[in-house]
Amino acid sequence: MTSEQITELVVDIAKRARAASLELATLDTETKNRFLNDLAERLVAETDSIIAANAQDLETAKNLGLSQPMTERLTFTPERIEAMAEGVRQVAQLPDPVGVEIERLAPPKGFDLRKVRVPIGVIGIIYESRPNVTIDCAILCLKSGNASILRGGKEAFHSNMKLAGIIKETLRANDIHEDAVQFIPTTDRAALNVLLKQDDTIHCIIPRGGESLIRFTVENSRIPVIKHYTGVCSVYIDAAANADMAEKILINSKCQRPSVCNSAENLIIHQDAAALLPHLAKALHDQGVELRVDTHAKALLDGSGLPLVDASAEDFATEYTDLIISIAVVPDIKAAIELINANSSGHTESIVTDDAVAARRFLTAVDSAAVFHNASTRFSDGFEFGLGAEIGISTDRLHARGPMGLNELCTYKYIINGTGETR
Amino acid sequence: MTSEQITELVVDIAKRARAASLELATLDTETKNRFLNDLAERLVAETDSIIAANAQDLETAKNLGLSQPMTERLTFTPERIEAMAEGVRQVAQLPDPVGVEIERLAPPKGFDLRKVRVPIGVIGIIYESRPNVTIDCAILCLKSGNASILRGGKEAFHSNMKLAGIIKETLRANDIHEDAVQFIPTTDRAALNVLLKQDDTIHCIIPRGGESLIRFTVENSRIPVIKHYTGVCSVYIDAAANADMAEKILINSKCQRPSVCNSAENLIIHQDAAALLPHLAKALHDQGVELRVDTHAKALLDGSGLPLVDASAEDFATEYTDLIISIAVVPDIKAAIELINANSSGHTESIVTDDAVAARRFLTAVDSAAVFHNASTRFSDGFEFGLGAEIGISTDRLHARGPMGLNELCTYKYIINGTGETR
């Protein structure tokens, strides 16, 4: 396609999404849920054709020499398609966020003034390899009354196109505006650039992917972006920590699933709890974790026989997503809070302590989306928070912070019922 | 200053604001209110020196040939300084938004999970001529626990520098971090460009000014921007409107203060209520309002003897901020809603009707921040909504929509109190 054709294509998609969004905003819950349950059925019924489309992507992946983990994430199996369909049925079960009264205000003139939850409008989602994101994002946007424009990566292009086709058929079959979910049928980066400039018709961009994708989006978008950056999460073991609880929470936070954003990357320990360090370090080592230590921690672990790596300053700001941990010993809770606020990505931190005053201080002063007292960082998740679903975990502060569920895919409007009031 | 010096200056201001914001976030309500009451006193005590600084700006304004209304907005008098101080005292009286529990969640694992209101962090405010904005924005940010970076226009430079100096003295005198409120001491546009790139240290930009300032900000900012665009507001008179109420609301919405964003620019009238049009048009004309009519309205007003101007399509999307109104006659409520959603700036619209079904349909389908039934659009305002103060009226959808008070200058965090839970 020429650059004019790409511009025309993307501008047209955005305009049609805006028109669809005005219809979607007033759609009843029953129709939305009927659509979702129908989509789940069709996905299962189309298992063979989805796997056939996916085979084309896997063939390309082989030719491109894609890594084993990337290829694995790209692959559809009948079980994965069934799991995806089950996710769709679960979203059908969730309460409809639209139209819920959030707050009743008390205006001085006394008219009836309510703040009511409504869809944002048109949401653009930009994502990378995993094709099930196409379904996840489409259904969360639709359930929350938003039109969506999906732009997936080239690795999953055929799988995505197939899924987008099934969504479109299901929209038509359920008499929903067929532009309610649209997939950009090209992976040309020029299309992304045009998309990010459509601030008259698109209201929000959510990039789901690596840091470079998010950076590119922020630097090129005129549309507000909700960022889901990395998770550089810390566990802080306070002077008054219970030793067993400290070990349990640390090991769970670091090791239960090290590849995800809510796993811990840093262990910070109060010098008065330093006696716990040799045992904790051994427990981490036994789980296969590499120990990167500051000078104070190194001195304390010197005779332990454990393999130690000197931690650099940047290590404390690094998301390893791997079995590696940075360890610092601090003189007091103030130093712990400062170290976290200077290095954290603002995602999730946890304090282990039996001291209620220390806990309160940490929970107040640590500037992260989720702050835990005596619990694993691994709970920082939409499902674990009881949101029922999540489109991601925002490391932004505006609009949505932390796990984003259906409510966070909505905005609000003020509805006033008067009896002829004037100023 | 060289461009390197400007970059160094602005980067340093932003870093110091970030450090101050971490202290401010934990500041108690009493200290914040003591600061505000002290500031009010000092502003009044410094009346002469504020007026002396203002005189320098007025001298420059004369030399630059600034228009009479612009010069008027720039001018400080003892009465205006007293009113500004009174505004500061009122903000001291408002409840502290920080630390308030917004929601208690029900996580499946049963730990205690609360969503608590916290400051955003560092807010950059970019504004134009009126120097009282310096005080307004500084105090609302401080009360909500945010550090602020203020960048005013060149017309009010000396007045702004004087006010910023008084704020700094008051911060010091009350033992608050002196970088909690900072004013950019240059009006060089290069400084603004550097400011808008500091997304590591600044969390939100609020431009307050004309459309070109807002456009510039959106196109050059890597930091999320909350926009306060124009208000293209409509009054829709439905088939079932009460004639007296229709006139009262229309005249109030259009004429009570035509220069502000919540005044009406469009009158849309159902053809079954068209019999009201000659009387309404006469009432508008008697208030000095120019009538811009579509062909249907023109036909209905043909024999009225009123001066009529043909409305263009763009007129219905134009903020006049003047005694001018665009008038359209529509066949049904559906056409009214479509006309509004296609032309409105998403600020405020009102329906006048005695038909509850029509009202509900309008309130649901009109995609604006505030939608009124049988009340004047002029109530779309932070004070009239009972927010106690407002930093502006957002025409954005993310984070804050409509009037923005202290709560809207905050974000939230999740606070979890566990008993050793792991996954």
Side-chain angles (χ1 to χ4, degrees):
Chain A
M1 277 189 277
T2 67
S3 102
E4 286 73 24
Q5 285 169 323
I6 286 177
T7 301
E8 199 181 323
L9 171 78
V10 174
V11 169
D12 181 59
I13 285 174
K15 279 187 184 161
R16 286 189 286 120
R18 177 59 181 139
S21 77
L22 290 167
E23 269 192 53
L24 272 182
T26 63
L27 206 63
D28 61 286
T29 307
E30 205 191 325
T31 305
K32 292 191 280 194
N33 291 345
R34 197 175 56 229
F35 163 83
L36 292 169
N37 287 317
D38 189 14
L39 179 62
E41 263 183 52
R42 286 168 189 257
L43 288 171
V44 175
E46 295 273 3
T47 295
D48 291 347
S49 67
I50 295 170
I51 286 177
N54 188 236
Q56 291 184 264
D57 289 326
L58 294 174
E59 183 64 28
T60 314
K62 213 194 316 182
N63 296 338
L64 291 173
L66 217 63
S67 73
Q68 173 56 26
M70 287 278 273
T71 305
E72 156 68 15
R73 286 163 67 191
L74 191 59
T75 307
F76 270 131
T77 61
E79 294 69 33
R80 285 186 176 185
I81 292 168
E82 173 49 37
M84 188 164 70
E86 183 52 28
V88 180
R89 286 180 211 111
Q90 281 170 11
V91 170
Q93 297 298 314
L94 293 175
D96 190 334
V98 177
V100 172
E101 179 180 314
I102 304 172
E103 197 183 341
R104 191 169 282 263
L105 286 87
K109 286 276 167 54
F111 47 78
D112 178 66
L113 172 54
R114 295 175 302 132
K115 196 170 168 177
V116 173
R117 189 171 283 131
V118 299
I120 291 172
V122 178
I123 299 180
I125 317 255
I126 299 159
Y127 52 104
E128 291 177 328
S129 68
R130 293 189 306 136
N132 58 316
V133 174
T134 302
I135 296 294
D136 285 358
C137 292
I139 62 173
L140 291 173
C141 287
L142 190 123
K143 177 84 185 209
S144 54
N146 294 290
S148 55
I149 300 175
L150 309 171
R151 198 275 189 187
K154 61 182 182 311
E155 303 83 359
F157 185 71
H158 296 97
S159 312
N160 285 334
M161 287 290 282
K162 179 69 203 168
L163 295 172
I166 296 171
I167 294 170
K168 183 142 292 195
E169 283 162 26
T170 317
L171 287 168
R172 281 194 196 121
N174 288 276
D175 286 326
I176 303 179
H177 199 303
E178 68 169 33
D179 297 324
V181 181
Q182 292 177 86
F183 184 78
I184 304 260
T186 166
T187 56
D188 193 321
R189 200 153 244 211
L192 180 53
N193 258 317
V194 175
L195 186 75
L196 296 175
K197 302 291 184 284
Q198 305 309 308
D199 55 339
D200 284 341
T201 40
I202 304 176
H203 306 113
C204 174
I205 295 285
I206 303 179
R208 287 185 48 160
E211 191 153 350
S212 71
L213 175 78
I214 302 178
R215 272 269 158 235
F216 178 85
T217 303
V218 168
E219 285 174 16
N220 290 282
S221 183
R222 277 189 206 158
I223 305 165
V225 177
I226 299 180
K227 297 182 282 294
H228 298 66
Y229 270 132
T230 51
V232 180
C233 307
S234 294
V235 172
Y236 166 60
I237 296 179
D238 187 46
N242 172 295
D244 288 344
M245 197 188 279
E247 179 180 344
K248 223 176 85 180
I249 289 175
L250 172 65
I251 298 299
N252 190 256
S253 298
K254 178 68 239 178
C255 308
Q256 197 236 350
R257 204 174 162 200
S259 64
V260 294
C261 61
N262 60 13
S263 67
E265 311 294 358
N266 298 327
L267 163 62
I268 303 168
I269 187 161
H270 191 294
Q271 63 182 10
D272 294 351
L276 303 179
L277 187 54
H279 179 74
L280 294 173
K282 172 81 167 49
L284 287 163
H285 176 72
D286 289 349
Q287 296 280 334
V289 179
E290 176 184 318
L291 310 171
R292 299 203 181 170
V293 290
D294 75 354
T295 52
H296 197 153
K298 189 178 183 179
L300 289 163
L301 294 172
D302 208 19
S304 68
L306 295 168
L308 304 175
V309 176
D310 289 337
S312 69
E314 301 88 70
D315 280 341
F316 290 93
T318 301
E319 185 184 41
Y320 298 120
T321 56
D322 202 351
L323 287 172
I324 306 172
I325 197 163
S326 309
I327 305 177
V329 178
V330 291
D332 52 28
I333 189 172
K334 184 166 176 281
I337 292 168
E338 284 171 0
L339 192 128
I340 289 171
N341 284 341
N343 291 284
S344 161
S345 64
H347 191 295
T348 301
E349 330 292 335
S350 181
I351 180 175
V352 185
T353 189
D354 287 342
D355 176 349
V357 174
R360 205 158 41 238
R361 180 168 176 188
F362 185 90
L363 297 174
T364 305
V366 167
D367 186 26
S368 294
V371 278
F372 289 67
H373 173 211
N374 290 346
S376 167
T377 59
R378 290 278 296 117
F379 287 110
S380 194
D381 171 277
F383 294 93
E384 296 294 337
F385 275 16
L387 306 184
E390 94 176 12
I391 202 156
I393 297 183
S394 164
T395 53
D396 254 323
R397 290 145 183 280
L398 294 191
H399 188 75
R401 197 178 190 200
M404 281 186 75
L406 290 173
N407 286 351
E408 288 72 27
L409 287 171
C410 289
T411 179
Y412 55 82
K413 72 185 190 194
Y414 290 101
I415 293 185
I416 294 90
N417 283 292
T419 52
E421 285 83 353
T422 55
R423 278 177 80 174
Chain B
M1 277 190 277
T2 67
S3 103
E4 286 75 23
Q5 285 169 323
I6 286 177
T7 300
E8 199 181 321
L9 172 79
V10 174
V11 169
D12 182 58
I13 285 175
K15 279 186 183 161
R16 286 190 286 121
R18 176 61 181 138
S21 77
L22 291 168
E23 270 192 49
L24 272 181
T26 64
L27 205 62
D28 61 287
T29 307
E30 206 191 324
T31 305
K32 293 192 278 193
N33 291 346
R34 197 174 55 230
F35 163 84
L36 292 168
N37 287 316
D38 189 14
L39 179 62
E41 263 183 51
R42 285 167 189 257
L43 288 171
V44 174
E46 295 273 5
T47 295
D48 291 349
S49 66
I50 294 170
I51 286 178
N54 188 235
Q56 291 183 264
D57 288 329
L58 294 175
E59 183 64 29
T60 315
K62 214 196 312 184
N63 296 338
L64 291 172
L66 216 64
S67 73
Q68 173 54 29
M70 288 278 273
T71 306
E72 157 68 15
R73 285 162 67 192
L74 193 58
T75 307
F76 270 130
T77 61
E79 294 70 35
R80 284 186 177 182
I81 293 169
E82 173 49 39
M84 189 163 70
E86 183 52 29
V88 180
R89 286 181 211 111
Q90 281 171 12
V91 171
Q93 297 297 316
L94 294 175
D96 191 334
V98 177
V100 172
E101 179 180 315
I102 303 171
E103 197 182 341
R104 193 170 279 264
L105 286 88
K109 287 275 166 57
F111 48 77
D112 178 65
L113 173 54
R114 295 175 302 132
K115 194 170 169 177
V116 173
R117 189 171 284 131
V118 298
I120 291 173
V122 179
I123 300 181
I125 317 255
I126 299 159
Y127 52 105
E128 289 175 331
S129 68
R130 292 188 308 136
N132 58 315
V133 174
T134 302
I135 297 294
D136 285 359
C137 292
I139 62 174
L140 291 173
C141 288
L142 190 124
K143 177 85 184 208
S144 54
N146 293 290
S148 54
I149 300 175
L150 309 171
R151 199 276 190 186
K154 62 181 181 315
E155 302 83 1
F157 185 70
H158 296 97
S159 313
N160 285 334
M161 287 292 281
K162 179 70 203 167
L163 295 172
I166 297 171
I167 294 170
K168 182 142 292 192
E169 284 161 27
T170 317
L171 288 167
R172 282 193 196 122
N174 288 275
D175 287 327
I176 302 178
H177 200 303
E178 68 169 35
D179 297 325
V181 181
Q182 291 178 89
F183 185 78
I184 304 262
T186 166
T187 56
D188 193 321
R189 199 151 245 210
L192 180 53
N193 258 318
V194 176
L195 187 75
L196 296 174
K197 302 291 183 284
Q198 305 308 308
D199 54 339
D200 284 341
T201 41
I202 305 177
H203 306 114
C204 173
I205 295 284
I206 304 179
R208 286 185 46 161
E211 190 154 350
S212 71
L213 175 78
I214 302 178
R215 272 269 158 235
F216 178 85
T217 304
V218 169
E219 285 174 14
N220 290 283
S221 184
R222 276 187 206 160
I223 305 164
V225 177
I226 299 181
K227 297 183 282 297
H228 297 67
Y229 270 132
T230 51
V232 179
C233 307
S234 295
V235 172
Y236 166 59
I237 296 178
D238 187 46
N242 171 295
D244 288 343
M245 197 188 279
E247 180 180 344
K248 224 176 81 180
I249 289 174
L250 172 65
I251 298 298
N252 189 257
S253 297
K254 178 67 239 179
C255 308
Q256 198 238 350
R257 203 172 164 201
S259 64
V260 294
C261 61
N262 61 15
S263 67
E265 311 294 358
N266 297 327
L267 163 62
I268 304 167
I269 187 162
H270 191 292
Q271 64 181 10
D272 294 352
L276 303 179
L277 185 56
H279 179 72
L280 294 173
K282 173 79 169 47
L284 287 163
H285 175 72
D286 289 348
Q287 297 278 336
V289 179
E290 177 184 318
L291 310 170
R292 299 202 181 170
V293 289
D294 76 352
T295 52
H296 198 153
K298 188 178 184 179
L300 289 164
L301 293 172
D302 207 20
S304 67
L306 294 168
L308 303 175
V309 176
D310 289 338
S312 69
E314 301 89 68
D315 281 339
F316 289 94
T318 301
E319 184 184 42
Y320 297 121
T321 56
D322 202 349
L323 288 173
I324 305 171
I325 198 164
S326 308
I327 305 177
V329 178
V330 291
D332 52 28
I333 189 171
K334 183 166 177 280
I337 292 168
E338 285 172 0
L339 190 122
I340 289 171
N341 284 340
N343 292 283
S344 161
S345 63
H347 191 294
T348 301
E349 331 292 335
S350 181
I351 179 173
V352 184
T353 189
D354 287 342
D355 176 350
V357 174
R360 203 156 44 237
R361 180 168 176 187
F362 184 90
L363 297 174
T364 306
V366 167
D367 185 26
S368 294
V371 280
F372 289 68
H373 173 211
N374 289 346
S376 168
T377 58
R378 290 277 296 116
F379 287 110
S380 193
D381 171 277
F383 293 92
E384 297 294 337
F385 275 16
L387 306 184
E390 93 175 14
I391 202 156
I393 298 181
S394 162
T395 53
D396 254 323
R397 288 144 185 280
L398 294 192
H399 188 74
R401 195 178 192 201
M404 281 185 76
L406 290 173
N407 286 351
E408 288 73 27
L409 287 171
C410 291
T411 179
Y412 55 82
K413 72 187 194 194
Y414 290 100
I415 293 185
I416 295 89
N417 283 292
T419 52
E421 284 85 351
T422 54
R423 278 177 81 173

